[in-house]
Amino acid sequence: MTIQLGTVARPLRVAIVGAGPSGFYAAGALLQQKEVNVSVDMFDRLPTPYGLVRYGVAPDHQKIKSVAKVYDRTAADPRFRFFGHIDFGQDITHADLRCHYDQIIYAVGAQSDRKLDIPGEELAGSFSATEFVAWYNGHPDFADLEFDLSCNAAVVVGVGNVAMDVARVLAKSKDELSSTDIADYALATLAQSNIKDIYVLARRGPAQVKFTPPEIKEFGELADADVLVEATELILDPLSAAEAAASTETQRNLEHLQSYAARPLTGKARRVHFRFLVSPVELIEANGKVSAIRLEQNELRADETGYLNAYGTGTFETIAAGLVLRSVGYKGIPLEDVPYDKRRGTIPNDQGRVKDPASGAPILGEYVVGWAKRGPSGVIGTNKPDAIETVATMLSDLPHTPPAPQPDPTSIDGLLEERQLNFVTIEGWRILDRIEVEQGQAQGRPRVKFTRIQDMLEALHAEIHLKEG
Ligand code: NAP
């Protein structure tokens, strides 16, 4: 007898690996559609859901974080379950999920970062922006990092929105940060910062920046930092001028940069310098740590597709700096037993359907959403249409989907119990959330975050809300 998936008698069982925005939009799309009966189990290696909304979005961008309310509504659906603190590849394997679920969605984002591949990159004082972001956001894996902010100058390499976040956090005063949900230890370190000059470096010109106008606008509103832009660096070559003319976003970015170039310095304690057409070529060491960065000036030349690339001109300069944050993009990492495209850092797929990289054949029952699907681009909302596309692919595959051998929802609980794995349910997360928000209220902050997994688990033990295996 063939089993029909998605009926009342046999709901479609879906596992989602990763509880960030892309995973939640996929869960939302599955639970909202009316074609099939479905139940969704979401796994995350951290006890807390929301991925980059909690650990990526800057603490002073609380409005963006309010998108979590949409995810809360998804999580409140009785057909949804959260298994926090369960690591795919360690606690549960690919084979386990294939045994208990008809379809699996990988929503694991891009958990690593790109390198510059220049000498000195590994020196003390040189970090990826992703490390700094995860640290100030209280990510438990990064809470023990130490950032020495006793130097006078910091360099941020790259001009995407992540670069804007880290440069802004470095430039903000204690008062500006203390009303946010920044990790307590990060607030204490940043409050003692000696950094006066923050250099933000673009390898291409002002018409090719990746940041968006609201982000560059914020630099003009900082309490304790002036913005410096050299008017001569804003002069566009003809190809860049044509690019700018075709994009209202680029024009708005240029207007903000031009207004900064025209502003007199007001003598604020810090200065944020935006520099264009410069590439780092070496980090220079002194006393075992980074002390300066050597830059080569660039010029732009179009390739055969018209894309403007940066080429070194052979003219060099050096900027003294004790902290270097490389903000040149995130990169995916491979999952055990799941195909991986090393060059792109993504899971190879066709409209979200995972495919065998060698043969191109679809792997029925396995899907991907978000940055793991398309690479680290777009804003949080970009993940909604992306997830809807994958869910449409999943539903169209249903007639050919091999049913899971053990679809009973209690069988996965049994497996976790057998392995003595403690996991955090959505009710458990709500308790952690409530504790964080209550502690925040006392300090006039949105929340005070737990930054240690052990503390989260102990708080749940105290409330008897950890599911013990
Ligand atoms: P991104 O937007 O791709 O920017 C990466 C930057 O690094 C670009 O300026 C790129 O320059 C530069 N770069 C790459 N390789 C380089 C090299 N070898 N040397 C020097 N510069 C190099 O990446 P992101 O900033 O990590 O952001 C990831 C995504 O998250 C983006 O879509 C972003 O908009 C989004 N995000 C949004 C927000 C928000 O909405 N507020 C906040 C944070 C992140 P080229 O252009 O020359 O390659």
Side-chain angles (χ1 to χ4, degrees):
M1 194 185 73
T2 50
I3 296 169
Q4 204 191 341
L5 295 174
T7 61
V8 178
R10 175 63 171 86
L12 176 69
R13 295 274 299 134
V14 178
I16 300 181
V17 182
S22 67
F24 267 100
Y25 286 121
L30 277 164
L31 295 170
Q32 273 160 31
Q33 56 74 39
K34 304 269 181 265
E35 284 173 54
V36 300
N37 260 287
V38 63
S39 73
V40 175
D41 286 351
M42 182 180 274
F43 297 87
D44 201 289
R45 69 190 184 85
L46 292 174
T48 50
Y50 310 148
L52 278 189
V53 168
R54 182 175 166 93
Y55 293 120
V57 173
D60 58 344
H61 279 176
Q62 287 297 316
K63 260 197 201 149
I64 300 180
K65 286 180 191 258
S66 64
V67 71
K69 287 192 191 122
V70 176
Y71 312 150
D72 282 339
R73 281 200 290 278
T74 299
D77 191 301
R79 297 166 295 168
F80 175 94
R81 297 191 301 178
F82 177 62
F83 294 87
H85 196 223
I86 296 292
D87 194 358
F88 176 86
Q90 285 244 283
D91 300 328
I92 43 160
T93 63
H94 175 261
D96 296 330
L97 293 189
R98 292 257 27 171
C99 177
H100 296 279
Y101 298 92
D102 307 307
Q103 295 183 325
I104 305 167
I105 303 177
Y106 302 109
V108 292
Q111 295 172 46
S112 181
D113 51 86
R114 297 196 180 277
K115 302 268 178 296
L116 288 169
D117 287 329
I118 58 170
E121 193 168 3
E122 305 308 328
L123 283 172
S126 160
F127 296 90
S128 71
T130 57
E131 289 172 304
F132 188 57
V133 167
W135 172 77
Y136 65 57
N137 273 322
H139 189 302
D141 291 355
F142 297 83
D144 289 327
L145 283 182
E146 282 179 17
F147 289 90
D148 178 358
L149 307 183
S150 63
C151 52
N152 290 322
V155 164
V156 178
V157 181
V159 278
N161 278 334
V162 172
M164 296 301 102
D165 285 346
V166 298
R168 193 179 65 252
V169 167
L170 283 173
K172 278 202 164 177
S173 63
K174 185 187 174 199
D175 282 353
E176 285 171 302
L177 293 173
S178 58
S179 57
T180 73
D181 65 358
I182 193 166
D184 280 347
Y185 57 72
L187 183 61
T189 304
L190 285 158
Q192 299 294 320
S193 167
N194 260 339
I195 293 174
K196 304 279 179 296
D197 290 286
I198 300 149
Y199 297 87
V200 183
L201 309 181
R203 65 174 166 183
R204 300 192 291 151
Q208 288 82 31
V209 295
K210 293 273 171 64
F211 56 66
T212 40
E215 277 64 29
I216 186 68
K217 181 169 180 275
E218 282 180 86
F219 283 90
E221 298 155 3
L222 295 172
D224 265 357
D226 283 320
V227 193
L228 276 89
V229 179
E230 286 293 333
T232 49
E233 293 201 357
L234 297 181
I235 298 167
L236 302 184
D237 61 88
L239 290 172
S240 295
E243 259 185 17
S247 159
T248 47
E249 189 159 277
T250 304
Q251 285 163 33
R252 283 172 55 212
N253 280 336
L254 286 168
E255 281 161 21
H256 287 301
L257 291 167
Q258 275 149 1
S259 80
Y260 298 148
R263 266 191 202 189
L265 283 183
T266 63
K268 288 179 181 171
R270 294 191 174 125
R271 292 167 293 273
V272 184
H273 310 249
F274 283 89
R275 295 288 316 275
F276 298 95
L277 290 167
V278 282
S279 278
V281 290
E282 185 184 357
L283 301 189
I284 297 162
E285 185 246 299
N287 305 320
K289 50 193 253 198
V290 64
S291 66
I293 183 165
R294 188 160 185 256
L295 309 177
E296 183 172 15
Q297 285 169 17
N298 293 330
E299 62 184 16
L300 294 179
R301 270 182 260 147
D303 66 14
E304 62 283 0
T305 66
Y307 183 86
L308 292 175
N309 277 307
Y311 293 91
T313 59
T315 305
F316 296 89
E317 64 177 296
T318 300
I319 297 177
L323 176 71
V324 173
L325 299 176
R326 171 179 83 237
S327 184
V328 296
Y330 286 80
K331 191 171 189 285
I333 51 174
L335 292 177
E336 206 164 283
D337 300 324
V338 180
Y340 178 68
D341 179 337
K342 204 170 164 205
R343 197 180 56 82
R344 298 189 64 233
T346 55
I347 297 176
N349 72 93
D350 184 10
Q351 293 178 318
R353 183 187 296 112
V354 178
K355 61 181 186 183
D356 183 295
S359 66
I363 299 182
L364 272 185
E366 299 192 35
Y367 302 88
V368 59
V369 289
W371 280 3
K373 173 183 175 185
R374 62 174 200 279
S377 67
V379 293
I380 289 168
T382 314
N383 293 301
K384 191 173 178 187
D386 173 293
I388 288 172
E389 180 193 59
T390 295
V391 167
T393 303
M394 291 166 69
L395 296 183
S396 73
D397 281 354
L398 224 48
H400 327 285
T401 300
Q406 290 186 42
D408 181 347
T410 59
S411 65
I412 193 78
D413 300 75
L415 179 95
L416 299 176
E417 204 170 310
E418 203 179 284
R419 294 188 186 159
Q420 301 190 332
L421 292 166
N422 293 341
F423 62 90
V424 177
T425 61
I426 203 67
E427 293 77 22
W429 155 244
R430 289 203 188 103
I431 288 170
L432 295 176
D433 185 39
R434 194 201 70 217
I435 296 172
E436 288 189 344
V437 171
E438 278 172 7
Q439 290 191 350
Q441 268 162 1
Q443 299 179 23
R445 302 170 64 186
R447 66 177 64 238
V448 174
K449 282 182 178 176
F450 285 101
T451 60
R452 310 249 168 223
I453 290 179
Q454 200 48 40
D455 293 346
M456 298 184 204
L457 300 184
E458 277 168 18
L460 290 177
H461 267 303
E463 305 245 3
I464 326 173
H465 239 290
L466 184 69
K467 288 268 178 180
E468 294 201 359

